[in-house]
Amino acid sequence: MAYYKPQQIALNTIDTGVTKARSSWTQMLVLGFLAGAFIALGFLLDIRVIASMPEEWGSFANFVGASLFPVGLILVLVAGGELLTGNMMAVPLARMAGRIRTLEVVRNLFAITIANLLGALFVAYFFGHVVGMTETGPYLAKTVEMAGHKLEGSFLQMFISGIGCNWLVALAVWLSYSADNISGKVLGIWFPTMAFVAIGFQHVVANMFLIPAAIFAGYYSWGQYAMNFVPVWLGNLTGGALFVACAYFTAYIRPMRAGTAPASPADHTNHTTQPEPAVQPGTGAAVALPLQHSEQAHV
């Protein structure tokens, strides 16, 4: 199975971030709506499967739900979508590399936040409320219970939980960029996403579905949701931009700009031909190179 090395993933992610930041408003709103709906559908699947599981199953039921939730992110990254948490990593990385302006980062994150919210609210209202998929029997109880847990805690606790979430989700996106086939992308997406759900970290887009679904059912308030939205949004941004984008920019892109990029130890095992890093003339900004395949047989 072919894969791309971390330095190559970083360059590819920068190109992806540039494309995302310079998309038209129509593209961002349509693809953002789809991504919000896809994540909501993954969460709805989680609730519908685990709500009736025996209490004696304990954390195993949570594991089952966590194993199902990644279908949403798989749809986003394979079928196509613009997800806020992934953009919080890719777009800031493009800015750090000098390929886009700060205003373009703000424009993209604002547009995708609104579009994701609309997509998630669509699923919460029409499938959850109108059809009743989150408002009957054990499904209502599970929705209200899970939403209540998301609303617990202080601003700082929600913020830190948001960091943990998007550290893992942004890494799931990063790993999906390491593969050149669907099976590799699915595996890369699956495990970090499953981990964040099983741990219980807070994902701003998932919460756009879960908490409004409980509100539509007559529980909690929009004010309580706003008190959750702000710290989780900021925590997700910190997790993606600082713990993934900034970390890999420092490790891989900054040395390329300085002309001191170290050779990867994996070169001796994967036999990948690494081209010289390209630098945009006059700016010192790294320019993405064509990604190289490892010379291993596909399986």
Side-chain angles (χ1 to χ4, degrees):
M1 181 182 293
Y3 65 96
Y4 304 131
K5 295 181 180 179
Q7 187 181 62
Q8 296 169 322
I9 300 170
L11 292 170
N12 187 42
T13 304
I14 291 170
D15 258 4
T16 301
V18 172
T19 300
K20 289 176 179 293
R22 293 179 178 167
S23 297
S24 69
W25 281 98
T26 299
Q27 286 177 310
M28 289 191 291
L29 292 175
V30 171
L31 293 176
F33 178 91
L34 291 177
F38 292 160
I39 295 299
L41 288 170
F43 213 151
L44 180 59
L45 173 63
D46 179 349
I47 292 170
R48 296 290 295 185
V49 170
I50 71 172
S52 298
M53 288 186 175
E55 290 186 11
E56 293 78 11
W57 286 25
S59 60
F60 180 73
N62 293 334
F63 171 75
V64 172
S67 299
L68 296 171
F69 181 90
V71 68
L73 189 56
I74 291 170
L75 288 172
V76 170
L77 291 171
V78 177
E82 288 288 319
L83 184 65
L84 179 61
T85 44
N87 287 24
M88 285 173 165
M89 177 270 291
V91 178
L93 181 58
R95 175 64 186 90
M96 294 172 197
R99 297 281 302 280
I100 59 174
R101 295 175 291 115
T102 300
L103 185 60
E104 291 176 302
V105 178
V106 174
R107 169 182 175 269
N108 179 265
L109 296 186
F110 172 78
I112 301 304
T113 297
I114 299 302
N116 283 178
L117 179 61
L118 292 174
L121 287 176
F122 178 89
V123 174
Y125 183 78
F126 287 102
F127 297 160
H129 178 67
V130 176
V131 179
M133 291 184 172
T134 57
E135 296 194 9
T136 57
Y139 309 113
L140 173 61
K142 179 58 67 175
T143 300
V144 172
E145 174 195 347
M146 295 175 77
H149 287 315
K150 299 298 183 183
L151 294 170
E152 293 173 352
S154 65
F155 186 101
L156 180 61
Q157 288 172 322
M158 293 180 187
F159 173 76
I160 294 174
S161 180
I163 291 175
C165 168
N166 212 28
W167 196 347
L168 288 168
V169 173
L171 283 173
V173 175
W174 186 272
L175 291 180
S176 78
Y177 295 161
S178 75
D180 67 346
N181 56 75
I182 291 179
S183 60
K185 288 182 180 294
V186 168
L187 286 174
I189 295 165
W190 199 281
F191 290 98
T193 308
M194 178 181 65
F196 107 73
V197 178
I199 291 169
F201 287 142
Q202 299 234 32
H203 187 281
V204 66
V205 182
N207 287 4
M208 288 175 181
F209 161 77
L210 177 64
I211 300 174
I215 294 173
F216 292 142
Y219 295 83
Y220 311 118
S221 70
W222 293 106
Q224 288 174 292
Y225 174 47
M227 295 301 294
N228 170 271
F229 178 89
V230 173
V232 174
W233 194 98
L234 293 173
N236 285 175
L237 177 62
T238 304
L242 181 61
F243 286 80
V244 180
C246 185
Y248 287 130
F249 174 81
T250 302
Y252 297 119
I253 305 303
R254 188 185 296 275
M256 292 172 61
R257 298 172 73 176
T260 59
S264 170
D267 289 343
H268 303 294
T269 57
N270 294 326
H271 309 295
T272 301
T273 302
Q274 290 278 44
E276 291 297 319
V279 177
Q280 189 170 330
T283 66
V287 179
L289 300 171
L291 298 181
Q292 305 297 309
H293 292 259
S294 63
E295 296 177 359
Q296 294 184 352
H298 289 265
V299 292

